Amino acid sequence: MRHLVTALAFILIAAPLRAQEKPLHGIDTHDLDRKANPCNDFYDFANGTWREKNPIPASMVIWSRRWAAGEATKDVLHGILEDASKNAATAPPKSTERLIGDYYAACMDQKAIDALGIKALAREMAWIHSVASTDDLQPVIQKLNEEAIYVPFIFGSSQDPHNPQSVIADAGAAGIGLPERDYYFKDDAKSKETREKYLQHIEAMFVLAGTDKPTSAANAKIVMRMETAFAGASLTNVELRDPHATDHKMTLDEVQKLTPGFNWNSYFETLSLDPKIPINVDQPKFLEEFQKQLKETSVDDWKVYLTWHVLLSAAPSLSTPFVQENFSFFQKYLQGAAEMKPHWKRCVEATDNDLGEALGKKYVEKTFSPEAKARMQEMVHNILLALHDDIQTLTWMSEDTKKKALEKLATFNPKVGYPDKWKDYSTVEITRDAYWADVVSARRFAVKDDAQLIGNPVDRGRWGMTTPTSNAYYNPLLNEIVFPAGILLPPMFDVNASDAVNYGGIGPVIGHEISHGFDDQGAQYDATGELKNWWTAADYKDFQSRGKCVIDQFDAYTVDGGLHENGKLVLGESIGDLGGVKLAYLAFEKSLQGKPRPANQDGFTPEQQFFISWGQSRGDEIRPDAQRQFVLTNPHPVSKYRVLGPLSNLPEFQKAFSCKAGDSMVRPTENRCTIW
């Protein structure tokens, strides 16, 4: 760890700023709605015309330039997979080309999938059918978990938050089919309707699986009863934001006392795990409910519940009627999609999900240049430096806390583009003639790949997202920020774009992930990744007060239908956005020093171009149903408020557009939220 501190400290001092050598792309002024006043609704001003001229495609529920770029990435992956599929027969066995080509070909063979129908699940159904007593549930649950059908709990590896250099086991709450636990309890009309639609969906899936309609209807009620019980024993989304709420490291014997009806020693033995390895139980109350269900629920009801979760997990990989019914509830009803994505695109997404690093390796070879990686790394360095300088100037943070914050900043590990070492999929058995079997093989590999980490030192080279993913993340236990190649595309990032565009596009994303290290969750982890308080009591109280300002700001925002954003749920992401935009702007301003001032573009200053770039990169249009689900379940605010929220707090934005007190984009001084 000391080596990492030294290395980054040197970078902060020594890395040079990049000199521009050729004319670069600027903002897209065609996206602007010039009728909108940037000081009253900057979201409409920055991207209103693009959204007006680019309605959401029928198969999508969110749409923007960024989402369009993500879908365009799938076109690239489609070409890679089509070529691999054609050439797989002549490719060496176990090669990447053979692996992804055969998987994709099996997925695309809808005729064979349809011919097999529910028979694809014959093995899983036989396991469940064999259950004759409560004791028989153990091996079935175990086998299903090995296929990543995590019911009723989810099990895997986790860094020890009190010794982040080591990896322990972790058991968490799962076992429900609706998007999150509150869907089972809200009593508004829409929530009640959703539960009724869910019952109808479960019934329809059982009918497709060969059960008569009356029995299927009864089965749906059994599933709903059990899922509601498990949901009631689960923490809310807001409660889950507190890392201490899910910090319950136990011995295997202690876990066994929570669930005497389930043999955890046997479970560990099957995964070849040392029983001396600690296990973190995210939610002890959930395991207590699991024990209650083992004791009080009949074997027949358990068989119904397990059957449902097999159907739920496998549905996207089964015959057309299952795929359509699954789409009808989860995408059409819950999110408002008008039609399914094309078959080829669903197969591309499945390949990325199940064999992501194999496909990602080919994607990087085709799309991600060394120049792009170098420019991105330079921007990361500059924005880290911006926070380094900013922390030193903070008036609300004491010197003791500043010292700890700078120590943490110095240990940040940025990852850009792709892993240094790719996963070895040579043990995965893939054929062209049994798609569900391929899915299971890939899942079993993933479960084993994760389980083998338990009991070993942490592997800092692993990635939590696939390379083509249009996203980024921060991991507090590793203190790392990660930017896959899939997000490093216009409008977020363009190696041929101006600094104003890139610092305004990907810059706030970089700053956002850095800020997660100091948001309401990340601030509870120290420089080594340990869950440990490193703040003075007064500083932490001040920090929480500043967070309360953000909570209140976002609580006041509403979406279509009058539903409010949940300030506590979106607190971390909103702190990330607020800090991210400010840090990116500070780094951009620093990048201008010592250079000729960039020219205005279409009447916009470089500073205005920076903010317009941010507004355009977040210009999402979202369907009302998807928006409702988003607000209820997602820790991010909807994109409109990811633009309006942080910018309305920034004097730098208000200065750039000459906004005045009383304008909507100028929060009153007494209500202005500031952290970094």
Side-chain angles (χ1 to χ4, degrees), residues 260-275:
F262 191 81
N263 190 332
W264 285 98
N265 277 286
S266 174
Y267 194 92
F268 265 49
E269 185 178 345
T270 300
L271 291 172
S272 300
L273 298 178
D274 184 343

Side-chain angles (χ1 to χ4, degrees), residues 43 47 50-51 63-66 614-621 639 643:
Y43 191 69
N47 62 72
W50 191 91
R51 286 185 288 118
W63 198 239
S64 63
R65 282 198 181 275
R66 179 192 165 193
W614 174 241
Q616 292 184 341
S617 67
R618 285 291 174 195
D620 293 354
E621 191 68 43
S639 284
V643 173

Side-chain angles (χ1 to χ4, degrees), residues 43-55:
Y43 191 69
D44 276 352
F45 173 78
N47 62 72
T49 296
W50 191 91
R51 286 185 288 118
E52 180 182 349
K53 293 183 176 180
N54 295 271

